[in-house]
C-alpha cells in the first residue's frame, strides 16, 4: 500500500471565522490517498518544512494582501520562493494552489501585475471567463466558459507586467466578467505562475450549503440589500442552488488540481525509485 501524500494547507485567515478552511478540508478529505496538515501562517507564524511536503493549498484571508507584519509574511514568501526554486532544480516537483488573498500575495511577490484596492467590494456569485490559455489549462478542465464561482474581495489584480510574465513563463488563465457599463479594467482572476504553481482570485473551494448559510445571516443579507438591492440578493440565492454554478466549480476545480498533482507526484516517485 502506498504511503499517503501529505497536503500542507496554509491557513491565511488570521483567526477570522470562515467557511473557506472547512471547504478545503472537505475537498481534500474526498481523496483517500491524501492526509492534511494545517499551518496557521498569520496568527502563529507557522510554515511547513519544504522537505516534508510536495503538495500545498494556500487559503484566502482578510485584509490588505500587500501588507504584513514583517514576520509572518517573510516566512510565507520564503515558502513560496522555496517551492519555486526547488522546482527549478529538482525532478520531483512541488505543487501549490493559491486562493484569493494568497493569490494576490503571490502576484505581488513575483511582480506579475499590480494589486490595488477596488472602488467597492466584489461579493457574490460571479461568472469567470477563461482566456485562450485558460481554455487549455488543466485546472479548468470540464468547466464551462464562462463558469461560476464565489467572488469576495476588496482588492484586485490588474495591469499585467508582460515582461515579468514572459520571463517567468506564466500565463493569465482567467478574467473577471465583462462589464461594458463601467470603464474599469477587467481584473485578472487566474494565473498559471509555473506548470506546478497556479492561483485563482475567486474561491473555488466554496460550497453552496456553506455560502447559502452565510448569505442568510441577517447582517450579511441586510448589507447586500443595502449595496445591491433586494432583486440582486434574490438572484444571488437562486444562482447558488443551480447545479451548473457553485456545485460544479466546487466539485471540479480543486479536484482537478489535486488529481493532476497526485498523478505527477506518483509518476515522479516511480521514476526515482
Amino acid at each position: 500500500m502506498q504511503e499517503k501524500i501529505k497536503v500542507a494547507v496554509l491557513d491565511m485567515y488570521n483567526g477570522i471565522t470562515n467557511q473557506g478552511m472547512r471547504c478545503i478540508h472537505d475537498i481534500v478529505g474526498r481523496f483517500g490517498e491524501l492526509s492534511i496538515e494545517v499551518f496557521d501562517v498569520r496568527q502563529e507564524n507557522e510554515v511547513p518544512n519544504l522537505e516534508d511536503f510536495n503538495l500545498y493549498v494556500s487559503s484566502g484571508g482578510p485584509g490588505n494582501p500587500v501588507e504584513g507584519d514583517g514576520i509572518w509574511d517573510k516566512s510565507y514568501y520564503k515558502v513560496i520562493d522555496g517551492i519555486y526554486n526547488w522546482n527549478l532544480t529538482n525532478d520531483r516537483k512541488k505543487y501549490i494552489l493559491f486562493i484569493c488573498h494568497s493569490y494576490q500575495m503571490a502576484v505581488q511577490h513575483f511582480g506579475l501585475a499590480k494589486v490595488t484596492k477596488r472602488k467597492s467590494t466584489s461579493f457574490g456569485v460571479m461568472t469567470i471567463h477563461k482566456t485562450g490559455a485558460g481554455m487549455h489549462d488543466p485546472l479548468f478542465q470540464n468547466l464551462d466558459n464562462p463558469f461560476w464561482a464565489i467572488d469576495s474581495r476588496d482588492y484586485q489584480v490588474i495591469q499585467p507586467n508582460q515582461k515579468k510574465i514572459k520571463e517567468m513563463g506564466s500565463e493569465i488563465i482567467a478574467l473577471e466578467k465583462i462589464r461594458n457599463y463601467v470603464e474599469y479594467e477587467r481584473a485578472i482572476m487566474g494565473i498559471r505562475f509555473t506548470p506546478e504553481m497556479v492561483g485563482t482570485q475567486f474561491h473555488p473551494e466554496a460550497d453552496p450549503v456553506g455560502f447559502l448559510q452565510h448569505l442568510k445571516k441577517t447582517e450579511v443579507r441586510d448589507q447586500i440589500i443595502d449595496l445591491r438591492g433586494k432583486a440582486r440578493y434574490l438572484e444571488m440565492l437562486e444562482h447558488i442552488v443551480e447545479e451548473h454554478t457553485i456545485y460544479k466549480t466546487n466539485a471540479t476545480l480543486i479536484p482537478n488540481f489535486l488529481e493532476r498533482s497526485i498523478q505527477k507526484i506518483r509518476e515522479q516517485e516511480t521514476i526515482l525509485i
Side-chain angles (χ1 to χ4, degrees):
M1 184 176 179
Q2 286 182 308
E3 188 176 345
K4 288 191 175 186
I5 296 171
K6 296 190 296 183
V7 183
V9 175
L10 308 179
D11 179 357
M12 305 293 284
Y13 278 100
N14 201 27
I16 302 298
T17 302
N18 67 91
Q19 291 285 335
M21 289 299 295
R22 178 190 64 78
C23 292
I24 291 169
H25 273 272
D26 174 70
I27 295 171
V28 174
R30 298 172 198 170
F31 293 79
E33 60 191 302
L34 299 178
S35 65
I36 191 169
E37 187 170 342
V38 177
F39 296 85
D40 189 342
V41 177
R42 293 172 68 177
Q43 269 200 136
E44 303 294 336
N45 191 30
E46 294 177 348
V47 291
N49 183 342
L50 196 67
E51 302 262 345
D52 294 340
F53 298 89
N54 293 322
L55 188 51
Y56 302 76
V57 176
S58 191
S59 80
N64 186 338
V66 302
E67 291 182 357
D69 64 359
I71 301 172
W72 70 261
D73 49 316
K74 287 186 177 179
S75 298
Y76 180 74
Y77 289 133
K78 187 176 180 180
V79 170
I80 63 175
D81 280 339
I83 294 170
Y84 177 74
N85 291 323
W86 173 283
N87 288 338
L88 291 177
T89 57
N90 288 273
D91 292 328
R92 179 176 285 182
K93 306 299 183 183
K94 297 182 182 294
Y95 300 85
I96 185 167
L97 172 67
F98 301 100
I99 298 172
C100 196
H101 191 92
S102 297
Y103 162 77
Q104 293 168 341
M105 288 186 69
V107 169
Q108 174 80 11
H109 181 64
F110 289 119
L112 298 183
K114 289 189 176 180
V115 179
T116 65
K117 190 169 177 61
R118 285 176 53 87
K119 186 176 180 181
S120 61
T121 300
S122 178
F123 180 79
V125 186
M126 309 289 181
T127 51
I128 308 296
H129 294 251
K130 301 178 189 180
T131 63
M135 293 292 288
H136 307 288
D137 195 284
L139 191 70
F140 298 151
Q141 186 177 350
N142 299 322
L143 286 174
D144 301 325
N145 188 35
F147 60 92
W148 294 82
I150 299 297
D151 195 22
S152 178
R153 60 194 163 99
D154 291 316
Y155 292 81
Q156 61 185 350
V157 173
I158 57 171
Q159 298 177 32
N161 184 331
Q162 297 296 350
K163 184 173 182 289
K164 279 279 192 178
I165 287 172
K166 186 176 181 180
E167 287 174 359
M168 195 167 169
S170 304
E171 290 183 314
I172 295 170
I173 58 175
L175 297 171
E176 73 178 334
K177 64 182 180 180
I178 299 169
R179 298 179 297 165
N180 294 325
Y181 53 90
V182 295
E183 60 188 43
Y184 303 119
E185 179 181 355
R186 290 172 75 189
I188 302 167
M189 301 299 283
I191 292 178
R192 171 70 62 178
F193 295 85
T194 70
E196 301 84 20
M197 306 174 75
V198 66
T200 69
Q201 175 66 88
F202 53 92
H203 286 270
E205 80 281 15
D207 66 16
V209 175
F211 196 63
L212 198 58
Q213 290 174 347
H214 180 69
L215 288 181
K216 288 185 174 181
K217 292 177 181 176
T218 303
E219 65 274 17
V220 175
R221 180 197 63 203
D222 292 347
Q223 184 180 17
I224 295 171
I225 290 174
D226 286 344
L227 287 172
R228 311 289 185 189
K230 190 171 184 179
R232 180 72 183 90
Y233 174 74
L234 294 175
E235 181 186 357
M236 202 179 293
L237 295 180
E238 183 180 332
H239 281 319
I240 288 171
V241 298
E242 293 172 338
E243 287 191 5
H244 70 284
T245 61
I246 306 310
Y247 278 106
K248 188 169 184 179
T249 302
N250 170 273
T252 304
L253 194 148
I254 295 181
N256 281 346
F257 167 75
L258 294 174
E259 285 170 3
R260 184 169 182 267
S261 300
I262 290 167
Q263 180 185 357
K264 294 290 186 182
I265 290 168
R266 292 303 190 201
E267 288 174 356
Q268 291 154 19
E269 286 175 345
T270 303
I271 292 169
L272 293 169
I273 288 174

